Structures are given as structure tokens and as C-alpha cells.
Amino acid sequence: MQWLDGFIQGILLGGLYAQYALGMALMFGVMRIVNISHGDLMILLALIGVSLSVSFGLGPFVLLLVLVPIAAAIGYVLQRGILNRVVSQDPLPSIIATFGLSIALQNAMQQIWSADTRSIPGGGIEQASWQIGTIFIGVLPVIVLIVATALTGGIDALLRFTKFGRALRASAADVEAAALTGVNPQAVYAWATALAVGILGFAAVFQGLRSTVAPSDGPAQLIYAFEAVIIGGMGSIWGAFLGSMVLGVSQAIGFRINPGFGILAGHLVFLAVLAFRPQGIFGRS
Amino acid sequence: MSAALLSTHGLKAFYGDFQALFGIDFEVAPGEVVALIGANGAGKSTFLKSVMGVIRVAPEMVLLDGQPTGGAASHHMVAKGVGIVPEGRRLFTGMSVEDNLRVAIDHSAGGNDTWSLGRVYELFPILEEKRRDLVQSLSGGQQQMVSIGRALLNQPRVLLCDEISLGLAPKVINEIYAAIPSISAAGTAIVLVEQDVGLAKKASDRLYCMLEGKVTLTGKSADISREDISAAYFGAGHAVA
């Protein structure tokens, strides 16, 4: 029974990881921009969420409505102000620029919010659960999983069937050829990054409700997002979702083998995928 | 000439400190087919890149409908009615044939709907059969057809074709060149950049020959002799043959 419980809790944890990974799947998987500050942006948004909910008494759902547009605006400015200047066939300039941004964000957050861990008050929803036999299923993790599934389906459909999605895929395939076909790649990229960071707004609220956040937590979230995208296969949106599930289940099962082994189990599964199926589950070899 | 749709005046282009074009005067009128020939490195592709805003040039060096457009971004040139079939085809890999074409439909120049998906499939029937296939699975000739179809669906008033015969079998080249008259019959001006002199001469009304960043010969394609072309193509020293 504890293995079934581990599996279920892992899937639910995967729902949260999917929300980190979706934005990464767009930026790293599709646009091939390496954004080292991905995790720090999520933590920044969560801390802004903590302050907003404490100062104005916003409930979790109102907070989502406020925080997601803020997140999208940050993403748009990030792409227009920094990343569009360093995007090229060479990934190194974007790595260096966002690595610098990552350090700067962590220091700024320490300065503003101190190094304490904080969380977003959820008005009881964070403790609510259903009991099925001996297994407890949290209400909040189920909401997280549903939101993650809806976001994944939405982004996947956006990429496949819309003008914006085609323009983004075209720009990612050949930026100069896209411009010669009438696409304005810089505008398309700015909206795509707005979307990617906007999704982090969801992740930030749920992370803050589900557990705690501190200014130095970003890099760990970054690794989970990278791993989920690579396990699932670069460029595949549902792949990133599945990769998040694999990561969540590996950690939850690992945790039940030995509480100290949980996080490591996730990394080991990631390394195994790199060794035996480097193109990822949905990737084309 | 006031009838010119697209023209360049003293066009100069640079790669850093290296000057690649030395004052190119060029023009094409609506419905006209103009060939631009020259050896490798003569500056033909640089010329097209300068017109399309890939290489930045001064505004008054490129005129569209008499208005200065030099240095405008590529997507602006497309929106104003200048389409290009880029060298090497440059398709969007990982996307289907139809999605490649749809990107152009999504961003077509306004005020003109000469070309539709159906008309492109009429021009190149094999593309309709392959419309759901990923472009990288197509043969070179079929990829070239997608690239031409994509440029046409931008609804250009002038279509720039950069070496569309390159790397293709003669039979396939004939198939692709057979499409040129029906494209220009629709009123679209065509600029054919070619290394294959015979092909270019036959398909065009007028031609320009380039050598080392300058135009060395220009005139009606039917009136220009092979000897004049070879002198202009290789430089005077090589003409004695």
C-alpha cells in the first residue's frame, strides 16, 4: 500500500513540477534559450505573493489573478530588455546573462525579504484532504495537478494550432527565415517569454501554498525544471508534463525507500534517462 | 524610370570593414522577370540580403514604389510586398509542409490575395499529397517547391529567388522553372538570382551581370550575346576564348 501511496503522491508532486517545467519547455525546449534565472523568478513571484497576501489579505485565487499578469509582464520585459539582445545560435550569451540575473535576484530577494522561509496563507485549503482507505489525497495537490494538466493542454494547442504557435515554432527553427517570411521574431519571443514566466506565476502561488519559499531556493527548482524537460524530450510540451510525473514519482518512491534518498532518486532517474534515452521519452532521435 | 516597383540606387553593403557591394543600380517593374547572374562571391546574395534588411543599408539606397525602404527590418519588407525564396531553401524543420505554408499565410502582405493554398497546390501538386509530412522528409526539389510556395503565400508584388536551381537535378530544375511564367502572369515581378547563365537568360526579360560587387553588364536577355556575358561574368581578361 505504501508503494501505491508513493505513486499517487508522486503524481501529485509531479503536477507542481510540471508548472515549473512548462515555461522551461517553451524557453529551453522550443526557443533554445537557457534561462538560469527560471527558478529565481518563480521564488521572486512567490515572495511577491507572500507580501501581497499578507499586506492586502488576498485569498489564493485572487492572488493568482493578480500574480499571473505581473509574472507575464516580468517575462515580457526580460525578453525585450535582456534576452532578445543575446539570442543567437550560440547559447552561451543567454546562459551568462541569466546566470548574472540569477545571482542578482537572489541577493535582491535576501535584501528585501531576508533569508527566512515563508509561505502563502491558504485559509485552510492547504490542509484539506480526502481519505480513500489508508491513503490521504490532498485537495490542494489535486487542484495543482488539474491546473497543470489544463495549462499543458492549452500551451500544446497554442503551439500546434494558432498563428502565434506557428510563428514561434518557425522562429525557433530558423530565426532569419522566419523574419523573411514576415514574422517579427523579437515580438514573438517576447510574448512567448511572457507566457513562460506567466505560468511561473501559477507555480509560485502553489509552491507558496504547498510548502515554504526562501530567497535561495531557486536553483533547486531550476534543476527540476531542466530535468523534467530533458526526461520528456526537448520541444515536446506533453513530454515536459510526463517528465515532471517521472521526476515526482521517482522522488516519492525514493523517499519511501529512505527519507534521505528521495531527491537523489529523482536525479538518478534523470541520469539514467540521459544514459539510455538521451533524446527523452517523446524526443526524436 | 518611374515605373519601377523595386529599385536600388548606388547600393553599397559591408560585412564589417569588408565592402561587398560597390554602388548597385537596379530596378524591376511589375510583371517583369529580371535575372541577376554572376559567379560565386560576385555579391548576388549580399544584394538580396541588403534589399531584405538582413544587412543594414541607408534608406535611400532601396526604393519600393519610389519610397525609401533601405534598412527596414525583413518582416516589414515582407509586409510591404517583397517576398523571398532564400538560398538553401531555409524551411522550418520539425513542421509539416502545410504549417510551413501557413506561417506565410499568417503574415501575408495586405491588399492582395492572388495566392491561396489551393493555387500553390495547383502549381506544385506533389505538395498537396505531402502536406502533412515533415518538411525534412521531402526531397530537395520538393523542399524548393515548399520554399517557393511559402514566399508566394506572403502575397508578394515582387518575388526574389535566390539560386533556386542549386543542387537540384536538371529534370527537377525544369519542373520548378516551368512555374515561373504562371507566377509572373499573376502580375508578380520576379528577380531570379542564378549561377546558371543559360537558365537565367532563357527565363528572364532583362538581366544584370555582377562581378566583384559591381554590375558589369545589363540589358534585354534576348539581345545579349554569350560572349558579352562571359566577359562580364569572368572579367575582361577571360573573354578571349
Side-chain angles (χ1 to χ4, degrees):
Chain A
M1 214 51 184
Q2 70 157 333
W3 302 116
L4 178 64
D5 181 53
F7 182 79
I8 292 170
Q9 304 308 330
I11 294 286
L12 294 173
L13 181 61
L16 187 61
Y17 289 169
Q19 297 189 7
Y20 307 156
L22 266 181
M24 183 64 85
L26 267 179
M27 292 191 68
F28 177 52
V30 178
M31 293 150 73
R32 303 292 162 117
I33 295 173
V34 180
N35 177 12
I36 301 289
S37 65
H38 188 80
D40 304 296
L41 285 169
M42 198 272 275
I43 299 298
L44 171 69
L45 289 162
L47 289 171
I48 292 174
V50 169
S51 292
L52 284 174
S53 66
V54 169
S55 311
F56 302 103
L58 302 181
F61 295 103
V62 179
L63 189 59
L64 271 180
L65 290 179
V66 176
L67 205 59
V68 169
I70 293 176
I74 290 175
Y76 188 90
V77 170
L78 173 68
Q79 186 71 37
R80 279 278 181 194
I82 299 175
L83 294 179
N84 270 344
R85 296 164 200 276
V86 293
V87 168
S88 63
Q89 293 306 99
D90 180 5
L92 202 55
S94 71
I95 294 178
I96 292 168
T98 56
F99 184 58
L101 181 66
S102 163
I103 305 280
L105 280 176
Q106 285 181 41
N107 283 308
M109 288 188 286
Q110 291 236 5
Q111 189 66 32
I112 298 169
W113 284 280
S114 83
D116 297 348
T117 57
R118 291 154 198 271
S119 59
I120 295 172
I125 193 175
E126 64 271 35
Q127 278 107 28
S129 68
W130 294 293
Q131 188 181 356
I132 300 168
T134 58
I135 296 171
F136 287 88
I137 296 176
V139 172
L140 181 65
V142 170
I143 295 174
V144 170
L145 182 62
I146 291 169
V147 171
T149 310
L151 285 171
T152 307
I155 300 289
D156 185 63
L158 187 77
L159 278 184
R160 276 178 201 276
F161 304 120
T162 68
K163 171 181 175 178
F164 171 78
R166 283 188 290 269
L168 180 61
R169 285 185 291 148
S171 303
D174 186 334
V175 83
E176 192 179 293
L180 291 173
T181 311
V183 176
N184 179 353
Q186 301 216 325
V188 169
Y189 273 18
W191 285 111
T193 303
L195 193 64
V197 181
I199 295 166
L200 282 184
F202 286 92
V205 171
F206 290 125
Q207 167 82 14
L209 283 170
R210 219 187 131 132
S211 67
T212 59
V213 286
S216 56
D217 287 352
Q221 322 298 342
L222 171 73
I223 284 297
Y224 297 155
F226 266 129
E227 290 181 346
V229 170
I230 292 168
I231 291 172
M234 296 278 286
S236 167
I237 300 296
W238 279 108
F241 183 86
L242 192 69
S244 304
M245 297 301 140
V246 170
L247 202 58
V249 170
S250 308
Q251 288 188 3
I253 300 278
F255 183 80
R256 276 156 185 77
I257 294 170
N258 179 331
F261 181 59
I263 304 289
L264 182 60
H267 295 320
L268 289 177
V269 168
F270 163 69
L271 290 175
V273 169
L274 269 192
F276 297 110
R277 197 174 162 81
Q279 74 271 32
I281 297 169
F282 283 173
R284 281 185 291 266
S285 50
Chain B
M1 217 158 62
S2 60
L5 176 56
L6 176 73
S7 59
T8 69
H9 303 270
L11 179 66
K12 295 181 183 71
F14 297 83
Y15 291 104
D17 286 337
F18 174 76
Q19 185 166 3
L21 297 180
F22 298 85
I24 306 290
D25 294 317
F26 173 93
E27 62 176 36
V28 56
E32 198 180 20
V33 181
V34 174
L36 186 57
I37 59 174
N40 256 341
K44 307 182 302 294
S45 288
T46 304
F47 174 78
L48 294 187
K49 284 181 181 171
S50 305
V51 169
M52 290 307 292
V54 177
I55 297 170
R56 291 300 168 98
V57 297
E60 63 281 0
M61 288 180 181
V62 182
L63 302 185
L64 184 65
D65 304 316
Q67 301 298 312
T69 54
S74 305
H75 65 275
H76 284 135
M77 294 306 290
V78 174
K80 288 174 184 179
V82 185
I84 183 166
V85 184
E87 186 180 359
R89 311 189 266 271
R90 306 284 290 267
L91 297 180
F92 306 129
T93 51
M95 294 171 69
S96 68
V97 168
E98 192 152 310
D99 273 356
N100 266 264
L101 299 175
R102 282 198 186 282
V103 172
I105 296 174
D106 291 338
H107 299 86
S108 62
N112 191 347
D113 52 359
T114 311
W115 292 93
S116 62
L117 216 44
R119 277 203 66 182
V120 167
Y121 288 154
E122 236 170 74
L123 195 64
F124 302 120
I126 185 73
L127 296 188
E128 181 160 28
E129 208 175 293
K130 304 250 176 193
R131 67 186 190 278
R132 294 187 200 290
D133 295 7
L134 293 178
V135 285
Q136 60 265 40
S137 71
L138 269 56
S139 72
Q142 292 162 355
Q143 290 188 6
Q144 191 60 270
M145 292 170 191
V146 177
S147 191
I148 294 170
R150 183 177 67 180
L152 288 174
L153 287 166
N154 275 144
Q155 312 291 358
R157 291 180 293 146
V158 49
L159 179 69
L160 314 177
C161 300
D162 199 353
E163 310 231 10
I164 50 177
S165 68
L166 202 67
L168 300 179
K171 182 172 171 288
V172 181
I173 295 175
N174 287 339
E175 237 176 285
I176 286 179
Y177 265 79
I180 300 284
S182 45
I183 296 170
S184 80
T188 312
I190 300 176
V191 179
L192 290 174
V193 166
E194 265 302 341
Q195 286 195 47
D196 186 325
V197 176
L199 207 56
K201 196 169 178 294
K202 212 169 76 185
S204 61
D205 305 318
R206 281 192 306 122
L207 67 77
Y208 291 81
C209 185
M210 285 180 73
L211 177 69
E212 292 171 354
K214 299 184 185 88
V215 172
T216 45
L217 176 69
T218 176
K220 284 206 182 344
S221 306
D223 301 347
I224 298 179
S225 70
R226 284 244 161 209
E227 290 69 32
D228 289 344
I229 290 178
S230 88
Y233 196 96
F234 297 109
H238 299 268
V240 224

